């Protein structure tokens, strides 16, 4: 790197705390600002008394402070490089050692571009491909002027010239296409340090620990833009009776669950700000795993097959392929919220959680079917904008996806809602628009006759096994078979006129891009 280039790099951020702004801007890219973001803004001058009082009030009402570091954190660190500011010297005539590459990569963790002049000189001079992943991981947290040096350095190292100067999504795609890209020594620990800095101290080393079992590519695990519990889990959720939920509109969407006569409704505009609810319904400990990004809300039994106490889930602050990952507080394992599988940690590779039937429908339709339902109270104890014009609601209505991901399918628009179910290992997906238009769809999966019933124009779907008879809607809206006899529809089963009972099948509703990432081998039926 020339003297002029070094002079350009060094003064990019005269204020060493300026990376806080970068972190905040990143959070704004993915979601609306929360009291946590506002409280983290750097102070530039003495504040008037009223402003100071407002900050104190925000702090009192905002999320709890990030949790303490997990007790196993320090014991799990097999390698600690020399810290930022004291990189290990190197001989420019000899290849860099693993320790030297790690030590120089630690410069990136400071999120301060004024410290990067020497780093870029080493990375550009050696063109060592071990710097590739750290450069891609860190570049998104720096201001646009600094990202020019990241992209130029990546071009020199890889020989790839991606279009544009602010190309983190494109470099993410490049990384996804190159699983053989080398990792630095102690990469998970380094990554945890980087995300801790980006999130204002949130201890990601709880999850990113060297040598953990995993089904993921570690380099594709990304910071979501929010700290651990940045979307605070409702555990337990505040509940009120249906007639007390005067804040709800009849046509607004809720996730409905009913077990043994005990019913719950979880409004999407509250789930958008919390993502995870740990509840007990009908004696079953369950988790509602909601994803605004993926357009999904799956419900899982928190009781594992080994008979241990129910797990308690929360928001990890990490994403994988545009999917926000859950974590459990008992083992700090990471979980896929759409498949229910443990994907990173001591449980990785174990069977998934048991999925429970649920439906996304309107509040009026759910209340009519379950007049005694309990529903989330809007007074959650957190300061959030539980309205219809917030960023989560705007995102849901937009055709754009805010996060990069590597595998796509053009058979449907990215955010077209789909509903799928699996029978004997075969998963079939249907466009939600086709199901609502049909009202009742009779199909056969792996020889098993099934029926999918739309819950009116809201688009909620329930799926059941069925016998040899085909079902349809009568003129008065009843569910009838080919002989005109009426069937009884309940949350857990269909009952035929002769008393035969056909169990409900669990399904998944999600945006097409998220469904394809989770179930790439699913068959799509009824596509236009």
């Amino acid at each position: 790197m020339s003297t002029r280039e070094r002079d350009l790099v060094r003064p990019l951020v005269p204020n060493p705390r300026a990376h806080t702004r970068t972190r905040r801007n990143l959070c704004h890219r993915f979601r609306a600002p929360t009291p946590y973001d506002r409280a983290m803004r750097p102070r530039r001058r003495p504040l008037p008394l009223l402003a100071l009082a407002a900050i104190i009030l925000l702090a009192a009402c905002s999320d709890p402070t990030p949790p303490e570091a997990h007790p196993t954190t320090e014991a799990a660190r097999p390698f600690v490089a020399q810290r930022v500011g004291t990189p290990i010297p190197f001989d420019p005539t000899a290849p860099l050692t693993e320790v030297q590459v790690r030590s120089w990569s630690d410069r990136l963790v400071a999120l301060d571009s004024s410290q990067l002049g020497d780093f870029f000189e080493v990375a550009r001079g050696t063109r060592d491909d071990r710097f590739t992943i750290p450069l891609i991981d860190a570049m998104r947290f720096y201001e646009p002027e600094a990202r020019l040096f990241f992209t130029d350095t990546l071009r020199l190292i890889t020989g790839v010239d991606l279009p544009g100067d602010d190309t983190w999504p494109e470099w993410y795609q490049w990384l996804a296409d190159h699983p053989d890209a080398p990792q630095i020594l102690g990469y998970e620990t380094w990554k945890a340090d980087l995300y801790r800095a980006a999130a204002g101290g949130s201890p990601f080393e709880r999850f990113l620990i060297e040598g953990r079992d995993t089904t993921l590519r570690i380099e594709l695990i990304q910071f979501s833009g929010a700290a651990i519990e940045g979307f605070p889990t409702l555990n337990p959720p505040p509940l009120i009776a249906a007639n007390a939920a005067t804040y709800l509109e009849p046509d607004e969407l809720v996730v409905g669950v009913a077990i043994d006569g005990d019913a719950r409704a979880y409004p999407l505009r509250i789930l958008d700000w919390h993502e995870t609810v740990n509840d007990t319904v009908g004696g079953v400990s369950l988790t509602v795993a909601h994803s605004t990004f993926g357009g999904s809300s799956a419900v899982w039994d928190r009781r594992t097959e080994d008979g241990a106490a129910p797990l308690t889930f929360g928001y990890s602050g990490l994403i994988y392929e545009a999917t926000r990952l859950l974590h459990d507080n008992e083992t700090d394992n990471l979980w896929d919220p759409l498949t229910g599988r443990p994907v990173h940690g001591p449980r990785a590779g174990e069977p998934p959680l048991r999925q429970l039937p649920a439906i996304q429908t309107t509040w009026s339709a759910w209340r009519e079917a379950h007049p005694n339902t309990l529903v989330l109270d809007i007074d959650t104890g957190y300061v959030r904008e539980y309205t219809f014009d917030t960023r989560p609601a705007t995102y849901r209505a937009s055709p754009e996806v805010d996060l990069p991901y590597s595998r796509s399918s053009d058979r449907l628009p990215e955010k077209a809602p789909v509903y799928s179910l699996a029978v004997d290992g075969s998963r079939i997906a249907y466009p939600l628009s086709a199901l609502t238009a049909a009202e009742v769809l009779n199909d056969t999966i792996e020889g098993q006759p099934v029926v999918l019933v739309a819950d009116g124009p809201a688009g909620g779907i329930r799926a059941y096994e069925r016998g040899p008879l085909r079902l349809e809607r009568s003129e008065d809206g009843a569910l009838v078979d080919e002989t005109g006899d009426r069937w009884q529809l309940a949350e857990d089963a269909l009952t035929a006129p002769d008393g035969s009972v056909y169990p409900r099948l669990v399904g998944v509703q999600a945006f097409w891009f998220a469904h394809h990432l989770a179930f790439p081998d699913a068959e799509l039926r009824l596509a236009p």
Side-chain angles (χ1 to χ4, degrees), residues 82-106:
Q82 288 181 260
R83 305 319 302 158
V84 172
T86 56
I88 297 175
F90 74 102
D91 178 359
T93 64
L96 294 175
T97 67
E98 293 284 350
V99 173
Q100 287 173 327
V101 172
R102 167 60 191 265
S103 178
W104 281 105
S105 297
D106 279 345

Side-chain angles (χ1 to χ4, degrees), residues 198-218:
S202 198
F204 288 101
E205 61 270 22
R206 289 176 57 185
F207 316 126
L208 298 176
I209 300 173
E210 300 299 325
R212 272 197 154 189
D213 292 336
T214 190
T215 63
L216 308 178
R217 288 176 55 187
I218 305 303

